[in-house]
Amino acid sequence: MSLHTLGRIAQTFHSKLVPAVSLQTLKNVGLRQLWTSNVSQRPEGESQTVRPEIGQASSMLDIGTRSIFGEEHDIFRQNVRRFFQEEVAPHQQRWEKAGHVDKEIWEKYGAAGLLGISVPAEHGGVGGDVIMACIAIEEQMYANGVGPAAALHGDIIMPYISQYGTKEQREKYLPEMTAGRMVGAIAMTEPSAGSDLQGIKTYAVKDGDDWILNGSKVFITNGFLCDVVIVVAITDLEAKHKAKGISLFIVENGTEGFTKGSKPLEKIGQKATDAAELYFQDVRLPANALLGKENHGFFYLMNQLPWERLIIADMGQSQAECMFELTRMYVKERKAFGSTLSNFQTVQHKLAELKTNLCVGRSFVDNCIGLMHNKRLDSATASMAKYWYVS
């Protein structure tokens, strides 16, 4: 990506962000300290082109580390970090109680250039790349996972429309989704089908030029607030292999027969990110609601898996780095038996073990980010990255 593009995005941040909110409004003192000590210092005389890896920096959250980034990325990261400090973190406690964010925050994400980062500008996206998308993902985790599921919206759902949609579909949905005026979801999981997509029962049958959609979905992230949802459905009930009879449909909120659960589902984590049940009863869809080719949906889903798995891996890695730094800060301050916890050898050993695992993980995830950036990330490698954090 050109420096011109990065400069344009950075300029968008500076011109669109509202006046600063005092860090005193943030409840988490630990995160506040981590955020305000975030520029990595290079040893005196060291070349400015050499960037320390996270294990060599004073904090894993320091800006200016990791060889996959350059100074232009640091500028972008500083602005993203500021956005989460000022626009998102102060509201997290209220959002968690409600089970969802304010709808207005999506438009603030859009105004800051944080939605559809890697979607080409000619399709209505920001026009950045996957490295910049990962910066936004990481900064959300460095802020302790605050806010909505923006990565799902901008880095998973929007690319489906960008890569498989018609010109009409791209023009209709992507600019609105980039601006945050239209929130996206993708409906795969059903009461009887989770990771096994070939076990889904939601189906669509043709009625003239239209499609009639029936079924239900559950645990759909962004489902409660969504304005548009990509629905996975069976379109060939006679297919010998279900994978060859699955299609994707774009369904808009307000379509007759499409309803949502009365409230967001309760979860044990990520409580500000809404999840909902979705119901489809004789939903009539026009022919142009089909996304991509008929009966090709399963293959589209498989094609996107490496990137989606990498997103999960980078989220897990970044959240763990944040937790490590908060823990390290705590043990340096907490006193017991006349000394801080950080002076106990057992604590030092455990922190050393954790840091080692994190540094190994970060090296592998960064390698995957580089592969993805160069369109070389395969499913097996991405699966290993995801496995490292969910196993």
Side-chain angles (χ1 to χ4, degrees):
M1 181 175 45
S2 68
L3 287 174
H4 173 74
T5 302
L6 280 166
R8 178 172 57 82
I9 295 170
Q11 185 178 27
T12 298
F13 265 103
H14 285 296
S15 62
K16 296 293 186 181
L17 282 178
V18 300
V21 176
S22 170
L23 289 182
Q24 295 302 317
T25 62
L26 300 179
K27 301 297 184 181
N28 193 318
V29 176
L31 281 175
R32 190 160 67 232
Q33 292 176 0
L34 290 179
W35 280 333
T36 55
S37 301
N38 55 27
V39 179
S40 180
Q41 300 296 319
R42 295 182 178 89
E44 186 176 352
E46 184 174 297
S47 170
Q48 293 298 301
T49 62
V50 177
R51 299 171 66 89
E53 296 302 325
I54 61 169
Q56 301 169 308
S58 59
S59 168
M60 292 185 176
L61 278 57
D62 280 357
I63 295 175
T65 64
R66 299 162 56 190
S67 58
I68 64 169
F69 299 125
E71 291 185 4
E72 65 276 13
H73 296 115
D74 296 341
I75 296 171
F76 180 66
R77 186 182 290 276
Q78 286 173 340
N79 284 289
V80 176
R81 186 166 294 188
R82 178 185 166 204
F83 176 83
F84 281 109
Q85 291 173 10
E86 299 174 359
E87 298 295 334
V88 184
H91 307 289
Q92 182 68 7
Q93 188 173 9
R94 176 171 57 84
W95 290 340
E96 289 189 349
K97 289 181 179 179
H100 61 84
V101 300
D102 300 331
K103 192 71 178 286
E104 293 74 21
I105 191 62
W106 284 99
E107 292 194 36
K108 290 187 177 182
Y109 268 79
L114 286 176
L115 301 175
I117 292 175
S118 62
V119 174
E122 58 268 27
H123 288 180
V126 171
D129 55 32
V130 298
I131 293 180
M132 292 186 65
C134 285
I135 290 173
I137 290 168
E138 291 166 9
E139 286 304 316
Q140 184 171 17
M141 296 302 103
Y142 289 165
N144 204 10
V146 297
L152 173 73
H153 169 100
D155 301 314
I156 294 178
I157 297 163
M158 289 181 65
Y160 276 101
I161 300 174
S162 175
Q163 294 178 31
Y164 308 121
T166 62
K167 183 175 184 292
E168 177 189 15
Q169 289 170 335
R170 291 196 296 264
E171 290 177 348
K172 181 178 182 180
Y173 296 112
L174 292 181
E176 293 296 297
M177 296 177 77
T178 299
R181 292 187 292 267
M182 186 174 280
V183 177
I186 185 165
M188 300 188 222
T189 304
E190 299 184 2
S192 59
S195 57
D196 179 18
L197 286 176
Q198 297 186 64
I200 66 170
K201 296 180 180 178
T202 298
Y203 66 94
V205 295
K206 279 188 174 179
D207 182 25
D209 291 334
D210 295 343
W211 292 90
I212 307 299
L213 177 68
N214 281 281
S216 64
K217 303 289 183 176
V218 69
F219 306 128
I220 305 306
T221 303
N222 288 349
F224 189 70
L225 293 179
C226 74
D227 301 291
V228 61
V229 55
I230 297 175
V231 181
V232 181
I234 300 171
T235 46
D236 185 352
L237 299 174
E238 305 300 324
K240 191 172 182 179
H241 301 287
K242 279 193 176 181
K244 297 182 179 180
I246 291 176
S247 299
L248 306 181
F249 293 91
I250 302 176
V251 182
E252 295 183 28
N253 187 33
T255 302
E256 186 176 355
F258 170 34
T259 57
K260 305 175 182 179
S262 59
K263 61 181 181 179
L265 297 172
E266 294 185 9
K267 302 179 295 180
I268 62 173
Q270 295 185 326
K271 294 182 179 181
T273 300
D274 70 271
E277 297 168 308
L278 306 181
Y279 305 97
F280 307 92
Q281 184 174 358
D282 295 328
V283 178
R284 180 173 291 274
L285 299 172
N288 61 10
L290 179 68
L291 180 60
K293 296 181 180 179
E294 182 180 338
N295 298 325
H296 281 60
F298 185 82
F299 305 104
Y300 296 150
L301 295 169
M302 293 301 103
N303 286 341
Q304 296 300 313
L305 272 180
W307 174 224
E308 293 167 12
R309 286 168 174 159
L310 176 56
I311 289 173
I312 293 173
D314 201 17
M315 283 181 169
Q317 171 72 35
S318 302
Q319 182 85 78
E321 290 167 354
C322 175
M323 293 300 101
F324 176 84
E325 293 300 342
L326 286 172
T327 301
R328 179 159 62 172
M329 184 180 298
Y330 175 80
V331 300
K332 286 181 177 180
E333 297 175 352
R334 181 75 168 93
K335 291 185 178 181
F337 306 104
S339 178
T340 60
L341 295 181
S342 60
N343 286 328
F344 293 110
Q345 196 174 59
T346 300
V347 174
Q348 294 172 358
H349 288 172
K350 178 54 68 174
L351 289 176
E353 177 187 349
L354 291 172
K355 185 173 182 179
T356 300
N357 287 331
L358 286 171
C359 290
V360 171
R362 173 50 74 191
S363 179
F364 186 64
V365 169
D366 279 2
N367 182 63
C368 289
I369 293 172
L371 289 171
M372 186 68 203
H373 178 67
N374 292 310
K375 297 180 172 56
R376 293 175 49 218
L377 182 65
D378 61 281
S379 181
T381 304
S383 295
M384 285 186 273
K386 179 182 176 182
Y387 169 81
W388 185 256
Y389 293 99
V390 299
S391 61

